[in-house]
Amino acid sequence: MPPYADVITSFWKGRLANGPRAAERPSLQHLLGNASVPFDLVRTRAQASSLAQAIRGDGRQLLLIPGLMASEQRMEPLRAVLNAAGYEAHGWGMGRNFGPKPDSLEQIDQRVDAIRRKTGAKVTLVGWSLGGLFAREYAKYATEKVGGVVTMGTPFSGDPRANHAWRLYQLVSGFPVDRPPFACNREEKPPVPTVALWSQRDGVVLPRCAKGRAGERDRAIEVDCTHMGFAASPEGILAVGKALDAIRR
């Protein structure tokens, strides 16, 4: 057997490992509904000006964190509207999200520190899907630097396999979905104002896992969009504005 065979075997073993089957996952119909994202983007571009006028920005510094396998460009429609509305929204500066790494929270911390050099104010985190888990855990890691957390379709509650993305997560990150490479308690609420956006039409994450239970977040807001639409559709973007307004109060 070649000397590198054990290395190759162990590499794929963790990434392709199965786990207990979730009792429930989103329907295939709702999963296929995510194909509508190009139409969401067209609607958002056409309504960008009115969307910005409908959101009451207050100059707060925001950090937008993309979901699994998504790049910062994927968050650009949301960022553009939030900036036009009067917020200071920033990309996370780490390129495409290939899942958690042992130093992920430290890298986010460096980005937050760079943003805070301008005003010294706390930064509000807005995370889509897996990005919302990063946001919640970072808010526990550096609470004094965070003004609040908004999650969009983030599976922070219940079974970590009650979704259609956990196998991709393991394949890309190399870590079991229930054992990330840093200390993590998904269901523990961060000690900052926390709003969870969720949708019955999510299709990727089981809605109740993104909605959470009392005590796991401060407020949950239902949104009429697909999972991909949270950061792309007019409905998702307006909901982010509503969540930011709720944190302000």
Side-chain angles (χ1 to χ4, degrees), residues 127-149:
W128 173 45
S129 198
L130 176 63
L133 289 178
F134 281 30
R136 284 173 62 93
E137 294 311 309
Y138 177 75
K140 302 169 193 176
Y141 172 86
T143 303
E144 71 283 359
K145 301 178 184 181
V146 178
V149 171

Side-chain angles (χ1 to χ4, degrees), residues 1-69:
M1 180 179 292
Y4 51 79
D6 286 343
V7 176
I8 295 175
T9 300
S10 61
F11 176 86
W12 288 109
K13 183 178 179 180
R15 294 171 186 261
L16 299 179
N18 286 318
R21 184 177 179 84
E24 184 181 0
R25 289 187 298 175
S27 71
L28 180 59
Q29 178 184 359
H30 284 153
L31 178 62
L32 294 176
N34 284 283
S36 66
V37 68
F39 302 100
D40 289 335
L41 290 168
V42 169
R43 291 191 298 124
T44 293
R45 283 194 291 268
Q47 300 175 35
S49 178
S50 60
L51 289 172
Q53 292 175 12
I55 296 174
R56 299 186 301 161
D58 58 6
R60 262 180 294 171
Q61 303 293 317
L62 311 178
L63 178 63
L64 309 186
I65 307 179
L68 180 65
M69 293 301 293

Side-chain angles (χ1 to χ4, degrees), residues 107-146:
Q107 289 192 49
I108 294 174
D109 193 47
Q110 293 175 14
R111 181 60 172 148
V112 168
D113 283 346
I115 294 170
R116 294 184 74 227
R117 288 191 193 106
K118 182 177 180 181
T119 65
K122 293 183 178 182
V123 177
T124 298
L125 310 180
V126 180
W128 173 45
S129 198
L130 176 63
L133 289 178
F134 281 30
R136 284 173 62 93
E137 294 311 309
Y138 177 75
K140 302 169 193 176
Y141 172 86
T143 303
E144 71 283 359
K145 301 178 184 181
V146 178

